[in-house]
């Protein structure tokens, strides 16, 4: 059978759009503000930035090196590079965890679609925070609409993914990512003119170091991991479509910078509004879905702002879920020889079944508990707190200790003295700093500390 030429991203801009598209998602715009809000603001943000660069960039480089060097899906990449069966498991962890994340992430993405719909249709009579809270609760715990939106969202993924790497993923990212940045900037400018802007910005940028506790440190690291799409081989898969010309260190630095920028901009959008309208920054996961609509309903042209905001969330989610799906689709196609459409249907089909269960876990299936957690919380906990850190630790140990040094140097290919210094720093962090820090998070995730 003739070997088909492997897909590749067509342009340098495309590489940045897909990588940043994967990184920027609900993690930045939904999760980051409520985590920062719950953990005291600026101090959490500084820690998060530190982790993004000291651990995030090295682990990202490790994924890029493994992916581009082998040009293979995550399962085959580890099989090609190592004889031992044990390393092959890293691939399976990534494939399994990505489907779990895809399932619960699609439920929240589905919520954004409901809110896009509501922004157009109007929020009805509810204006007060209390009424909007009841409305959100009634929606999330109902059985039909959350499931319907989860399925519709996954169907959108199918249409992007089935078109392939270059015509689907890359083209869609090239269009959506600039749109996302444009919407972000419009929102930031608007936000800076709110009466609560000063207070909001102080909360974001004036660190109070007394707020830092071990729990805050750990959440900041978990957040960095989730937000940069690390630990599951998502970026191993994407970088297998990079050309030899793509500069890996630059791409990693740029991705970490833009991802952090978007998270901070999301904070600039949300906190001035929260303070202007006298809301609590520590409202938790419902911050975006309950607090913001209350704020929008009070603003001039609120419906338009609301539409724009949830559109932003939807775009950010779609380019991220597409990257999660690609992990298993690449495996199904490259290793198991499936057709792209069949592979996509299988991945999305699986996510539809699990996603339906997650969506229902707020409603009818709320009593179905595993270790006391609903399915939604279970999938989130198992993937974010267990599989992601374990995967990330193994990937950085693999690239730092087991991979031939020549391969690492050849892939990072520094072209200047500064580049060589950066490479040495990255390799040092890959070998020592990342594994040790990640182990600490992992143990904390298990409640050892
Ligand atoms: N980074 C994305 C976000 O911030 C989520 C994501 C996409 C992800 N691909 C991933 C998280 C792979 C972990 C692993 O929303």
């Amino acid at each position: 059978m003739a070997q088909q030429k492997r897909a590749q991203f067509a342009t340098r801009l495309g590489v940045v759009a897909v990588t940043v598209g994967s990184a920027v998602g609900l993690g930045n715009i939904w999760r980051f503000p409520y985590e920062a809000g719950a953990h005291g603001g600026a101090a959490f943000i500084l820690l998060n930035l530190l982790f993004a660069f000291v651990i995030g960039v090295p682990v990202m480089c490790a994924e890029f090196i493994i992916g581009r060097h082998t040009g293979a899906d995550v399962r085959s990449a580890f099989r090609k590079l190592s004889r031992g069966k044990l390393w092959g498991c890293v691939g399976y962890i990534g494939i399994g965890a990505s489907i779990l994340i895809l399932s619960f992430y699609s439920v929240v993405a589905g919520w954004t679609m409901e809110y896009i719909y509501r922004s157009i249709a109007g929020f009805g009579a509810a204006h007060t925070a209390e009424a909007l809270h009841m409305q959100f609760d009634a929606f999330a715990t109902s059985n039909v609409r959350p499931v319907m939106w989860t399925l519709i969202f996954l169907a959108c993924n199918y249409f992007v993914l089935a078109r392939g790497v270059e015509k689907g993923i890359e083209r869609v990212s090239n269009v959506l990512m600039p749109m996302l940045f444009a919407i972000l900037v419009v929102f930031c400018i608007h936000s800076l003119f709110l009466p609560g802007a000063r207070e909001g910005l102080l909360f974001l940028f004036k660190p109070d170091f007394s707020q830092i506790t071990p729990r805050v440190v750990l959440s900041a690291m978990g957040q960095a991991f989730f937000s940069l799409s690390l630990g599951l081989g998502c970026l191993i898969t994407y970088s297998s479509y990079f050309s030899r010309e793509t500069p890996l260190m630059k791409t990693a630095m740029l991705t970490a910078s833009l991802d952090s920028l978007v998270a901070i901009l999301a904070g600039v959008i949300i906190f001035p509004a929260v303070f202007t309208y006298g809301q609590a920054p520590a409202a938790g996961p419902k911050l975006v879905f309950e607090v913001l609509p209350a704020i929008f309903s009070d603003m001039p042209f609120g419906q338009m702002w609301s539409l724009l905001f949830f559109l932003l969330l939807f775009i950010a989610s779609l380019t991220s879920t597409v990257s999660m799906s690609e992990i298993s689709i690449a495996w199904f196609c490259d290793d198991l020889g499936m057709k792209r459409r069949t592979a996509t249907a299988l991945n999305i089909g699986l996510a539809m079944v699990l996603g339906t269960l997650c969506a229902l876990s707020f409603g009818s299936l709320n009593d179905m508990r595993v270790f006391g957690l609903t399915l939604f919380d279970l999938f989130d906990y198992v993937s974010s707190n267990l599989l992601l850190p374990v995967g990330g630790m193994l990937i950085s140990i693999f690239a730092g200790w087991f991979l031939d040094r020549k391969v690492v140097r050849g892939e990072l290919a520094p072209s200047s003295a500064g580049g060589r210094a950066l490479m040495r720093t990255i390799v040092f962090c890959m070998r020592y700093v990342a594994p040790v820090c990640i182990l600490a998070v992992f143990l904390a995730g298990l409640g050892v500390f």
Side-chain angles (χ1 to χ4, degrees):
M1 203 169 60
Q3 188 81 32
Q4 254 200 335
K5 196 173 171 297
R6 198 177 157 78
Q8 236 179 38
F9 295 125
T11 62
R12 175 90 179 88
L13 190 75
V15 166
V16 175
V18 295
T19 315
V20 176
S22 167
V24 170
L26 291 174
N28 307 58
I29 305 173
W30 166 68
R31 197 173 191 270
F32 176 84
Y34 82 68
E35 284 275 329
H39 294 123
F44 173 88
I45 296 172
L46 279 180
L47 273 174
N48 180 257
L49 282 177
L50 185 76
F51 286 130
F53 286 90
V54 174
I55 300 175
V57 169
V59 175
M60 195 181 292
C61 286
E63 293 210 12
F64 284 168
I65 292 166
I66 295 170
R68 188 173 62 186
H69 182 67
T70 56
D73 64 277
V74 60
R75 167 78 185 98
S76 316
F78 279 101
R79 202 171 38 208
K80 276 188 187 175
L81 292 175
S82 72
R83 300 262 160 267
K85 281 215 164 56
L86 212 59
W87 286 110
C89 294
V90 181
Y92 288 130
I93 293 180
I95 291 162
S98 66
I99 296 179
L100 292 186
I101 297 188
L102 180 63
S103 309
F104 75 81
Y105 199 98
S106 297
V107 174
V108 182
W111 294 349
T112 72
M113 294 180 87
E114 167 79 11
Y115 275 73
I116 289 178
Y117 165 79
R118 287 192 190 181
S119 310
I120 297 169
F123 280 89
H127 281 289
T128 60
E130 189 49 37
L132 284 156
H133 163 75
M134 308 265 286
Q135 232 180 34
F136 177 77
D137 239 29
F139 159 67
T141 57
S142 67
N143 288 324
V144 178
R145 294 181 75 89
V147 173
M148 176 188 86
W149 287 120
T150 305
L151 299 181
I152 294 179
F153 178 76
L154 283 165
C156 297
N157 278 266
Y158 176 84
F159 289 115
V160 177
L161 285 158
R163 302 179 67 99
V165 169
E166 202 191 314
K167 293 210 180 81
I169 300 175
E170 185 176 357
R171 272 203 202 155
V172 168
S173 306
N174 278 343
V175 176
L176 292 184
M177 292 314 288
M179 248 169 86
L180 182 132
F181 275 92
I183 300 180
L184 266 175
V185 170
V186 172
F187 257 105
C188 281
I189 295 173
H190 173 269
S191 206
L192 292 177
F193 287 100
L194 289 173
R198 214 187 105 78
E199 210 180 335
L201 294 182
L202 280 178
F203 180 77
L204 260 185
F205 295 118
K206 192 157 171 273
D208 167 7
F209 289 105
S210 69
Q211 297 268 357
I212 296 184
T213 63
R215 242 204 66 73
V216 174
V217 176
L218 298 166
S219 318
M221 176 138 85
Q223 172 61 23
F225 248 74
F226 189 88
S227 189
L228 292 171
S229 306
L230 297 174
L232 304 184
C234 183
L235 298 178
I236 292 181
T237 310
Y238 265 16
S239 58
S240 74
Y241 306 127
F242 287 4
S243 75
R244 291 295 324 162
E245 279 74 53
T246 304
L248 300 186
M249 288 191 291
K250 258 192 205 157
T251 307
M253 293 293 276
L254 187 64
T255 304
S257 308
L258 287 175
D259 186 70
S260 308
L261 179 72
V262 171
I264 291 172
L265 291 183
V268 169
I269 292 171
I270 289 164
F271 290 112
V274 166
F275 286 104
T276 301
Y277 293 92
Q279 304 278 353
K286 58 187 187 183
L287 184 70
V288 160
F289 290 98
E290 291 183 357
V291 171
L292 281 184
I295 293 168
F296 292 138
S297 74
D298 245 14
M299 289 178 359
F301 308 108
Q303 227 166 313
M304 184 199 77
W305 290 115
S306 169
L307 175 64
L308 213 53
F309 181 82
F310 288 108
L311 200 61
L312 174 84
L313 261 186
F314 169 77
I315 292 174
S317 313
L318 187 64
T319 52
S320 294
T321 46
V322 160
S323 76
M324 291 172 207
S325 291
E326 188 60 26
I327 303 176
S328 39
I329 293 175
W331 179 55
F332 294 157
C333 290
D334 294 359
D335 201 27
L336 307 183
M338 283 186 201
K339 285 215 185 68
R340 178 129 192 133
R341 273 175 196 281
T342 319
T344 309
L346 184 60
N347 168 272
I348 296 294
L350 264 174
M352 280 182 164
V353 174
L354 295 175
T356 300
L357 296 176
C358 287
L360 288 175
S361 73
F362 292 90
S364 319
L365 296 185
N366 197 255
D367 290 336
M368 196 171 125
R369 303 280 168 126
V370 184
F371 307 119
L373 297 172
T374 64
L375 283 181
F376 182 99
D377 293 334
L378 181 76
F379 286 10
D380 183 3
Y381 186 86
V382 169
S383 51
S384 310
N385 292 349
L386 304 181
L387 301 176
L388 227 107
V390 171
M393 186 172 70
L394 292 176
I395 288 169
S396 65
I397 292 176
F398 185 78
W401 296 93
F402 288 87
L403 209 54
D404 193 341
R405 281 298 189 97
K406 278 198 215 103
V407 170
V408 173
R409 269 187 238 122
E411 290 297 332
L412 293 182
S415 55
S416 62
R420 278 188 291 278
L422 181 63
M423 179 175 81
R424 277 193 296 273
T425 316
I426 286 177
V427 171
F428 177 80
C429 291
M430 211 185 265
R431 290 170 69 105
Y432 301 99
V433 183
V436 171
C437 289
I438 297 167
L439 187 67
V441 182
F442 180 59
L443 295 179
L446 290 179
V448 175
F449 299 149

